[in-house]
Amino acid sequence: PIPRWAIFLAKYLALLPWCLTMNLGGFALICLAGGYNGRLAFSVYWPAVFWATLAFSALFHVFGACLRRSAIIALLYAFFLETIMGNMPGQFKRLSISFYARCMMYDAGEHLGIRPERPFIFQPVSGTTAWLVLAGVTVACLVVGAVVFSRSEYLDVN
């Protein structure tokens, strides 16, 4: 029999192309519609969109493994907690995935003169630190989800 943690990871790998197509592909289409500046924005910002997509999809996948009404919790998290936490002054915003995606964007766009509007309110971390946090969140969510999923009762309802 296939180990249950492998089923969890296989389901994540199955949803990943859809998430990347929707997020990165949608971002590419919007950037292409912007002409030269849009293509420049895509070339600068696609890594941040890619890593944020990996982190968000892993987090939402762990919600699916741990919670009964995971779609509702994921929507509440995405629309309320990420929005509120990501815009809070001080250090609280560092609990949101979108903060680290924006830090990667600011770091990548620094040579173009792109920086936070209010640097005393939004104090970004370095792009490398942001990338490490997003990769770490992705791996941590997958490990936690695989452990929880392997210990819970598995019902594949069609």
Side-chain angles (χ1 to χ4, degrees):
I2 300 172
R4 296 180 49 133
W5 60 266
I7 294 171
F8 178 81
L9 293 178
K11 286 185 174 204
Y12 177 74
L13 291 176
L15 73 87
L16 202 54
W18 292 100
C19 294
L20 288 172
T21 300
M22 298 295 272
N23 286 347
L24 204 54
F27 180 62
L29 287 175
I30 290 170
C31 287
L32 286 174
Y36 171 76
N37 290 331
R39 288 191 302 277
L40 177 63
F42 182 78
S43 68
V44 171
Y45 296 137
W46 77 263
V49 175
F50 174 81
W51 284 102
T53 300
L54 292 181
F56 273 118
S57 60
L59 179 66
F60 296 152
H61 199 56
V62 104
F63 284 169
C66 297
L67 304 169
R68 185 165 174 86
R69 303 277 184 224
S70 59
I72 295 169
I73 301 299
L75 285 170
L76 288 172
Y77 174 82
F79 290 120
F80 294 106
L81 288 178
E82 273 292 325
T83 303
I84 292 169
M85 281 192 308
N87 292 314
M88 293 287 278
Q91 304 297 321
F92 192 65
K93 70 171 87 6
R94 293 180 185 221
L95 296 174
S96 72
I97 291 173
S98 62
F99 170 77
Y100 295 100
R102 284 188 282 170
C103 288
M104 280 185 72
M105 289 178 165
Y106 284 130
D107 190 61
E110 190 172 14
H111 69 280
L112 298 172
I114 297 172
R115 59 186 69 77
E117 186 176 309
R118 296 182 185 119
F120 294 113
I121 293 176
F122 188 88
Q123 299 171 344
V125 297
S126 72
T128 304
T129 302
W131 172 77
L132 288 171
V133 169
L134 290 175
V137 165
T138 302
V139 170
C141 285
L142 290 176
V143 168
V144 167
V147 169
V148 169
F149 187 76
S150 66
R151 294 175 186 227
S152 64
E153 183 178 349
Y154 175 62
L155 298 173
D156 193 10
V157 180
N158 292 331

PDB file of all heavy atoms in Angstrom, residues 52-77:
ATOM      1  N   ALA A  52       5.246  32.761  -3.649  1.00  0.00           N
ATOM      2  CA  ALA A  52       4.034  33.017  -2.867  1.00  0.00           C
ATOM      3  C   ALA A  52       2.955  32.005  -3.214  1.00  0.00           C
ATOM      4  O   ALA A  52       2.221  31.542  -2.339  1.00  0.00           O
ATOM      5  CB  ALA A  52       3.540  34.437  -3.107  1.00  0.00           C
ATOM      6  N   THR A  53       2.868  31.627  -4.487  1.00  0.00           N
ATOM      7  CA  THR A  53       1.897  30.605  -4.895  1.00  0.00           C
ATOM      8  C   THR A  53       2.205  29.280  -4.236  1.00  0.00           C
ATOM      9  O   THR A  53       1.291  28.589  -3.756  1.00  0.00           O
ATOM     10  CB  THR A  53       1.887  30.459  -6.429  1.00  0.00           C
ATOM     11  OG1 THR A  53       1.536  31.715  -7.006  1.00  0.00           O
ATOM     12  CG2 THR A  53       0.904  29.398  -6.880  1.00  0.00           C
ATOM     13  N   LEU A  54       3.474  28.895  -4.198  1.00  0.00           N
ATOM     14  CA  LEU A  54       3.846  27.642  -3.528  1.00  0.00           C
ATOM     15  C   LEU A  54       3.478  27.677  -2.048  1.00  0.00           C
ATOM     16  O   LEU A  54       2.921  26.709  -1.510  1.00  0.00           O
ATOM     17  CB  LEU A  54       5.340  27.381  -3.675  1.00  0.00           C
ATOM     18  CG  LEU A  54       5.884  27.057  -5.054  1.00  0.00           C
ATOM     19  CD1 LEU A  54       7.381  26.808  -4.976  1.00  0.00           C
ATOM     20  CD2 LEU A  54       5.177  25.874  -5.665  1.00  0.00           C
ATOM     21  N   ALA A  55       3.766  28.790  -1.383  1.00  0.00           N
ATOM     22  CA  ALA A  55       3.488  28.893   0.052  1.00  0.00           C
ATOM     23  C   ALA A  55       1.989  28.904   0.337  1.00  0.00           C
ATOM     24  O   ALA A  55       1.515  28.193   1.236  1.00  0.00           O
ATOM     25  CB  ALA A  55       4.154  30.148   0.621  1.00  0.00           C
ATOM     26  N   PHE A  56       1.232  29.698  -0.417  1.00  0.00           N
ATOM     27  CA  PHE A  56      -0.214  29.741  -0.202  1.00  0.00           C
ATOM     28  C   PHE A  56      -0.868  28.393  -0.495  1.00  0.00           C
ATOM     29  O   PHE A  56      -1.733  27.945   0.252  1.00  0.00           O
ATOM     30  CB  PHE A  56      -0.876  30.828  -1.055  1.00  0.00           C
ATOM     31  CG  PHE A  56      -0.896  32.179  -0.428  1.00  0.00           C
ATOM     32  CD1 PHE A  56      -0.247  33.247  -1.021  1.00  0.00           C
ATOM     33  CD2 PHE A  56      -1.574  32.405   0.757  1.00  0.00           C
ATOM     34  CE1 PHE A  56      -0.262  34.501  -0.453  1.00  0.00           C
ATOM     35  CE2 PHE A  56      -1.599  33.655   1.345  1.00  0.00           C
ATOM     36  CZ  PHE A  56      -0.945  34.709   0.744  1.00  0.00           C
ATOM     37  N   SER A  57      -0.471  27.741  -1.572  1.00  0.00           N
ATOM     38  CA  SER A  57      -1.095  26.455  -1.902  1.00  0.00           C
ATOM     39  C   SER A  57      -0.747  25.404  -0.857  1.00  0.00           C
ATOM     40  O   SER A  57      -1.594  24.576  -0.506  1.00  0.00           O
ATOM     41  CB  SER A  57      -0.707  26.002  -3.310  1.00  0.00           C
ATOM     42  OG  SER A  57       0.684  25.846  -3.425  1.00  0.00           O
ATOM     43  N   ALA A  58       0.465  25.431  -0.311  1.00  0.00           N
ATOM     44  CA  ALA A  58       0.816  24.492   0.759  1.00  0.00           C
ATOM     45  C   ALA A  58       0.015  24.785   2.025  1.00  0.00           C
ATOM     46  O   ALA A  58      -0.464  23.858   2.694  1.00  0.00           O
ATOM     47  CB  ALA A  58       2.312  24.557   1.046  1.00  0.00           C
ATOM     48  N   LEU A  59      -0.150  26.066   2.345  1.00  0.00           N
ATOM     49  CA  LEU A  59      -0.936  26.432   3.527  1.00  0.00           C
ATOM     50  C   LEU A  59      -2.391  26.006   3.373  1.00  0.00           C
ATOM     51  O   LEU A  59      -2.979  25.422   4.291  1.00  0.00           O
ATOM     52  CB  LEU A  59      -0.849  27.939   3.765  1.00  0.00           C
ATOM     53  CG  LEU A  59      -1.645  28.473   4.955  1.00  0.00           C
ATOM     54  CD1 LEU A  59      -1.070  27.944   6.265  1.00  0.00           C
ATOM     55  CD2 LEU A  59      -1.660  29.984   4.947  1.00  0.00           C
ATOM     56  N   PHE A  60      -2.978  26.268   2.221  1.00  0.00           N
ATOM     57  CA  PHE A  60      -4.369  25.887   2.009  1.00  0.00           C
ATOM     58  C   PHE A  60      -4.523  24.374   1.938  1.00  0.00           C
ATOM     59  O   PHE A  60      -5.556  23.821   2.337  1.00  0.00           O
ATOM     60  CB  PHE A  60      -4.930  26.553   0.758  1.00  0.00           C
ATOM     61  CG  PHE A  60      -4.992  28.053   0.867  1.00  0.00           C
ATOM     62  CD1 PHE A  60      -4.909  28.842  -0.255  1.00  0.00           C
ATOM     63  CD2 PHE A  60      -5.131  28.690   2.086  1.00  0.00           C
ATOM     64  CE1 PHE A  60      -4.966  30.228  -0.175  1.00  0.00           C
ATOM     65  CE2 PHE A  60      -5.182  30.066   2.192  1.00  0.00           C
ATOM     66  CZ  PHE A  60      -5.103  30.838   1.061  1.00  0.00           C
ATOM     67  N   HIS A  61      -3.499  23.678   1.459  1.00  0.00           N
ATOM     68  CA  HIS A  61      -3.530  22.214   1.430  1.00  0.00           C
ATOM     69  C   HIS A  61      -3.493  21.656   2.852  1.00  0.00           C
ATOM     70  O   HIS A  61      -4.160  20.669   3.150  1.00  0.00           O
ATOM     71  CB  HIS A  61      -2.359  21.694   0.598  1.00  0.00           C
ATOM     72  CG  HIS A  61      -2.511  20.301   0.134  1.00  0.00           C
ATOM     73  ND1 HIS A  61      -3.588  19.866  -0.602  1.00  0.00           N
ATOM     74  CD2 HIS A  61      -1.720  19.219   0.295  1.00  0.00           C
ATOM     75  CE1 HIS A  61      -3.447  18.581  -0.866  1.00  0.00           C
ATOM     76  NE2 HIS A  61      -2.325  18.174  -0.333  1.00  0.00           N
ATOM     77  N   VAL A  62      -2.734  22.285   3.722  1.00  0.00           N
ATOM     78  CA  VAL A  62      -2.697  21.859   5.122  1.00  0.00           C
ATOM     79  C   VAL A  62      -4.034  22.157   5.798  1.00  0.00           C
ATOM     80  O   VAL A  62      -4.495  21.376   6.638  1.00  0.00           O
ATOM     81  CB  VAL A  62      -1.504  22.498   5.865  1.00  0.00           C
ATOM     82  CG1 VAL A  62      -1.863  23.624   6.761  1.00  0.00           C
ATOM     83  CG2 VAL A  62      -0.796  21.488   6.693  1.00  0.00           C
ATOM     84  N   PHE A  63      -4.674  23.260   5.425  1.00  0.00           N
ATOM     85  CA  PHE A  63      -6.022  23.517   5.931  1.00  0.00           C
ATOM     86  C   PHE A  63      -6.946  22.361   5.552  1.00  0.00           C
ATOM     87  O   PHE A  63      -7.764  21.926   6.354  1.00  0.00           O
ATOM     88  CB  PHE A  63      -6.595  24.818   5.364  1.00  0.00           C
ATOM     89  CG  PHE A  63      -6.042  26.081   5.966  1.00  0.00           C
ATOM     90  CD1 PHE A  63      -6.327  27.304   5.381  1.00  0.00           C
ATOM     91  CD2 PHE A  63      -5.258  26.077   7.102  1.00  0.00           C
ATOM     92  CE1 PHE A  63      -5.842  28.484   5.903  1.00  0.00           C
ATOM     93  CE2 PHE A  63      -4.761  27.248   7.644  1.00  0.00           C
ATOM     94  CZ  PHE A  63      -5.054  28.451   7.040  1.00  0.00           C
ATOM     95  N   GLY A  64      -6.825  21.892   4.326  1.00  0.00           N
ATOM     96  CA  GLY A  64      -7.658  20.789   3.859  1.00  0.00           C
ATOM     97  C   GLY A  64      -7.417  19.509   4.627  1.00  0.00           C
ATOM     98  O   GLY A  64      -8.326  18.706   4.824  1.00  0.00           O
ATOM     99  N   ALA A  65      -6.194  19.296   5.070  1.00  0.00           N
ATOM    100  CA  ALA A  65      -5.882  18.085   5.826  1.00  0.00           C
ATOM    101  C   ALA A  65      -6.302  18.189   7.289  1.00  0.00           C
ATOM    102  O   ALA A  65      -6.615  17.172   7.907  1.00  0.00           O
ATOM    103  CB  ALA A  65      -4.381  17.797   5.749  1.00  0.00           C
ATOM    104  N   CYS A  66      -6.323  19.388   7.820  1.00  0.00           N
ATOM    105  CA  CYS A  66      -6.556  19.567   9.255  1.00  0.00           C
ATOM    106  C   CYS A  66      -7.979  19.968   9.621  1.00  0.00           C
ATOM    107  O   CYS A  66      -8.410  19.709  10.741  1.00  0.00           O
ATOM    108  CB  CYS A  66      -5.605  20.633   9.811  1.00  0.00           C
ATOM    109  SG  CYS A  66      -3.880  20.205   9.698  1.00  0.00           S
ATOM    110  N   LEU A  67      -8.688  20.607   8.722  1.00  0.00           N
ATOM    111  CA  LEU A  67      -9.980  21.202   9.070  1.00  0.00           C
ATOM    112  C   LEU A  67     -11.110  20.634   8.233  1.00  0.00           C
ATOM    113  O   LEU A  67     -10.923  20.289   7.071  1.00  0.00           O
ATOM    114  CB  LEU A  67      -9.917  22.722   8.870  1.00  0.00           C
ATOM    115  CG  LEU A  67      -8.810  23.440   9.630  1.00  0.00           C
ATOM    116  CD1 LEU A  67      -8.668  24.860   9.150  1.00  0.00           C
ATOM    117  CD2 LEU A  67      -9.079  23.399  11.114  1.00  0.00           C
ATOM    118  N   ARG A  68     -12.269  20.581   8.822  1.00  0.00           N
ATOM    119  CA  ARG A  68     -13.427  20.026   8.133  1.00  0.00           C
ATOM    120  C   ARG A  68     -13.970  20.969   7.065  1.00  0.00           C
ATOM    121  O   ARG A  68     -14.261  20.563   5.969  1.00  0.00           O
ATOM    122  CB  ARG A  68     -14.514  19.692   9.149  1.00  0.00           C
ATOM    123  CG  ARG A  68     -15.702  19.015   8.556  1.00  0.00           C
ATOM    124  CD  ARG A  68     -16.560  18.397   9.638  1.00  0.00           C
ATOM    125  NE  ARG A  68     -17.776  17.872   9.105  1.00  0.00           N
ATOM    126  CZ  ARG A  68     -17.921  16.667   8.590  1.00  0.00           C
ATOM    127  NH1 ARG A  68     -16.883  15.878   8.524  1.00  0.00           N
ATOM    128  NH2 ARG A  68     -19.071  16.260   8.127  1.00  0.00           N
ATOM    129  N   ARG A  69     -14.122  22.221   7.363  1.00  0.00           N
ATOM    130  CA  ARG A  69     -14.620  23.229   6.416  1.00  0.00           C
ATOM    131  C   ARG A  69     -13.451  24.089   5.953  1.00  0.00           C
ATOM    132  O   ARG A  69     -13.422  25.297   6.158  1.00  0.00           O
ATOM    133  CB  ARG A  69     -15.699  24.094   7.062  1.00  0.00           C
ATOM    134  CG  ARG A  69     -16.877  23.319   7.589  1.00  0.00           C
ATOM    135  CD  ARG A  69     -17.841  23.038   6.475  1.00  0.00           C
ATOM    136  NE  ARG A  69     -19.026  22.383   7.003  1.00  0.00           N
ATOM    137  CZ  ARG A  69     -19.588  21.353   6.440  1.00  0.00           C
ATOM    138  NH1 ARG A  69     -19.083  20.858   5.340  1.00  0.00           N
ATOM    139  NH2 ARG A  69     -20.647  20.814   6.964  1.00  0.00           N
ATOM    140  N   SER A  70     -12.511  23.457   5.297  1.00  0.00           N
ATOM    141  CA  SER A  70     -11.256  24.127   4.968  1.00  0.00           C
ATOM    142  C   SER A  70     -11.422  25.261   3.955  1.00  0.00           C
ATOM    143  O   SER A  70     -10.699  26.254   4.024  1.00  0.00           O
ATOM    144  CB  SER A  70     -10.250  23.116   4.449  1.00  0.00           C
ATOM    145  OG  SER A  70     -10.753  22.476   3.300  1.00  0.00           O
ATOM    146  N   ALA A  71     -12.362  25.149   3.044  1.00  0.00           N
ATOM    147  CA  ALA A  71     -12.541  26.211   2.046  1.00  0.00           C
ATOM    148  C   ALA A  71     -12.992  27.509   2.709  1.00  0.00           C
ATOM    149  O   ALA A  71     -12.518  28.593   2.342  1.00  0.00           O
ATOM    150  CB  ALA A  71     -13.545  25.776   0.985  1.00  0.00           C
ATOM    151  N   ILE A  72     -13.864  27.413   3.674  1.00  0.00           N
ATOM    152  CA  ILE A  72     -14.341  28.603   4.376  1.00  0.00           C
ATOM    153  C   ILE A  72     -13.199  29.231   5.175  1.00  0.00           C
ATOM    154  O   ILE A  72     -12.996  30.452   5.138  1.00  0.00           O
ATOM    155  CB  ILE A  72     -15.525  28.253   5.296  1.00  0.00           C
ATOM    156  CG1 ILE A  72     -16.716  27.807   4.441  1.00  0.00           C
ATOM    157  CG2 ILE A  72     -15.899  29.426   6.188  1.00  0.00           C
ATOM    158  CD1 ILE A  72     -17.840  27.191   5.220  1.00  0.00           C
ATOM    159  N   ILE A  73     -12.436  28.404   5.859  1.00  0.00           N
ATOM    160  CA  ILE A  73     -11.305  28.903   6.644  1.00  0.00           C
ATOM    161  C   ILE A  73     -10.254  29.533   5.719  1.00  0.00           C
ATOM    162  O   ILE A  73      -9.693  30.593   6.029  1.00  0.00           O
ATOM    163  CB  ILE A  73     -10.684  27.771   7.481  1.00  0.00           C
ATOM    164  CG1 ILE A  73     -11.716  27.160   8.425  1.00  0.00           C
ATOM    165  CG2 ILE A  73      -9.461  28.254   8.243  1.00  0.00           C
ATOM    166  CD1 ILE A  73     -12.307  28.113   9.423  1.00  0.00           C
ATOM    167  N   ALA A  74      -9.996  28.908   4.580  1.00  0.00           N
ATOM    168  CA  ALA A  74      -9.014  29.445   3.635  1.00  0.00           C
ATOM    169  C   ALA A  74      -9.468  30.794   3.084  1.00  0.00           C
ATOM    170  O   ALA A  74      -8.657  31.711   2.938  1.00  0.00           O
ATOM    171  CB  ALA A  74      -8.773  28.446   2.502  1.00  0.00           C
ATOM    172  N   LEU A  75     -10.744  30.920   2.765  1.00  0.00           N
ATOM    173  CA  LEU A  75     -11.256  32.210   2.282  1.00  0.00           C
ATOM    174  C   LEU A  75     -11.164  33.285   3.357  1.00  0.00           C
ATOM    175  O   LEU A  75     -10.762  34.423   3.078  1.00  0.00           O
ATOM    176  CB  LEU A  75     -12.705  32.067   1.816  1.00  0.00           C
ATOM    177  CG  LEU A  75     -12.891  31.368   0.472  1.00  0.00           C
ATOM    178  CD1 LEU A  75     -14.363  31.076   0.231  1.00  0.00           C
ATOM    179  CD2 LEU A  75     -12.315  32.209  -0.641  1.00  0.00           C
ATOM    180  N   LEU A  76     -11.528  32.937   4.582  1.00  0.00           N
ATOM    181  CA  LEU A  76     -11.411  33.896   5.682  1.00  0.00           C
ATOM    182  C   LEU A  76      -9.958  34.298   5.889  1.00  0.00           C
ATOM    183  O   LEU A  76      -9.655  35.481   6.085  1.00  0.00           O
ATOM    184  CB  LEU A  76     -11.991  33.308   6.968  1.00  0.00           C
ATOM    185  CG  LEU A  76     -13.506  33.177   7.022  1.00  0.00           C
ATOM    186  CD1 LEU A  76     -13.928  32.408   8.272  1.00  0.00           C
ATOM    187  CD2 LEU A  76     -14.154  34.538   6.993  1.00  0.00           C
ATOM    188  N   TYR A  77      -9.065  33.327   5.829  1.00  0.00           N
ATOM    189  CA  TYR A  77      -7.648  33.630   5.995  1.00  0.00           C
ATOM    190  C   TYR A  77      -7.159  34.565   4.880  1.00  0.00           C
ATOM    191  O   TYR A  77      -6.511  35.571   5.153  1.00  0.00           O
ATOM    192  CB  TYR A  77      -6.817  32.343   5.998  1.00  0.00           C
ATOM    193  CG  TYR A  77      -5.340  32.628   6.034  1.00  0.00           C
ATOM    194  CD1 TYR A  77      -4.713  32.900   7.238  1.00  0.00           C
ATOM    195  CD2 TYR A  77      -4.587  32.660   4.871  1.00  0.00           C
ATOM    196  CE1 TYR A  77      -3.364  33.198   7.287  1.00  0.00           C
ATOM    197  CE2 TYR A  77      -3.238  32.958   4.906  1.00  0.00           C
ATOM    198  CZ  TYR A  77      -2.631  33.222   6.115  1.00  0.00           C
ATOM    199  OH  TYR A  77      -1.306  33.523   6.140  1.00  0.00           O
TER     200      TYR A  77
END
